[in-house]
Amino acid sequence: MFENVTYTFYSDTLGRTDVPTEADFNKYALENKLFVKRLLGDGLIVEREERGVDSAVCMMIEIDYKAAQIATGEALPASSESIGNFSQSKHMKAYDTQVELNAKSVEQQKYRVLSLFCDVTAG
């Protein structure tokens, strides 16, 4: 189980590039594997596609990576303004809104990805 949850499978087979390095990919791998393993064990998901569980976990890792980028402000540039000798940097309003909505949207995105590759039972 999860033998294809690797950066090589993510980047080469799935053709994904949002997670830039293997180290970044591996940072989120264990948590997502354990989450999906629990769902499988509880009978809440059933793999529908070949390597579907592995593909879903890889996509879930990508979701976590993007969420972390947004949470730390790395995904969006800061705006700044200068008045005389005073300079102030602030994140754009879209960033602040996204951070507030992020926790719920991450979970929704993960279940959406799972439903692409697996049958998901409400439970």
Side-chain angles (χ1 to χ4, degrees), residues 2 25 43 50 64 66 74 85 88 93 105 112-113 118:
F2 306 118
F25 182 88
E50 182 180 353
D64 281 344
K66 288 178 180 180
E74 294 177 36
N85 292 333
Q88 179 181 11
K93 183 172 175 109
S105 69
R112 184 188 62 77
V113 166
C118 303

Side-chain angles (χ1 to χ4, degrees), residues 62-74:
E62 182 179 279
I63 291 166
D64 281 344
Y65 175 79
K66 288 178 180 180
Q69 296 298 297
I70 291 169
T72 61
E74 294 177 36

Side-chain angles (χ1 to χ4, degrees), residues 63-97:
I63 291 166
D64 281 344
Y65 175 79
K66 288 178 180 180
Q69 296 298 297
I70 291 169
T72 61
E74 294 177 36
L76 295 172
S79 63
S80 62
E81 95 181 272
S82 296
I83 301 172
N85 292 333
F86 179 73
S87 178
Q88 179 181 11
S89 294
K90 57 187 172 191
H91 292 289
M92 298 181 302
K93 183 172 175 109
Y95 166 77
D96 296 331
T97 302

Side-chain angles (χ1 to χ4, degrees), residues 35-36 39-40 42-49 52-53 56 60 107-123:
F35 176 71
V36 171
L39 293 176
L40 285 166
D42 291 346
L44 297 175
I45 61 172
V46 177
E47 188 171 48
R48 184 176 59 234
E49 303 290 328
V53 168
M60 291 166 66
E107 184 178 344
Q108 291 169 344
Q109 289 175 53
K110 286 184 177 187
Y111 276 104
R112 184 188 62 77
V113 166
L114 278 169
S115 69
L116 293 174
F117 298 100
C118 303
D119 291 323
V120 179
T121 305

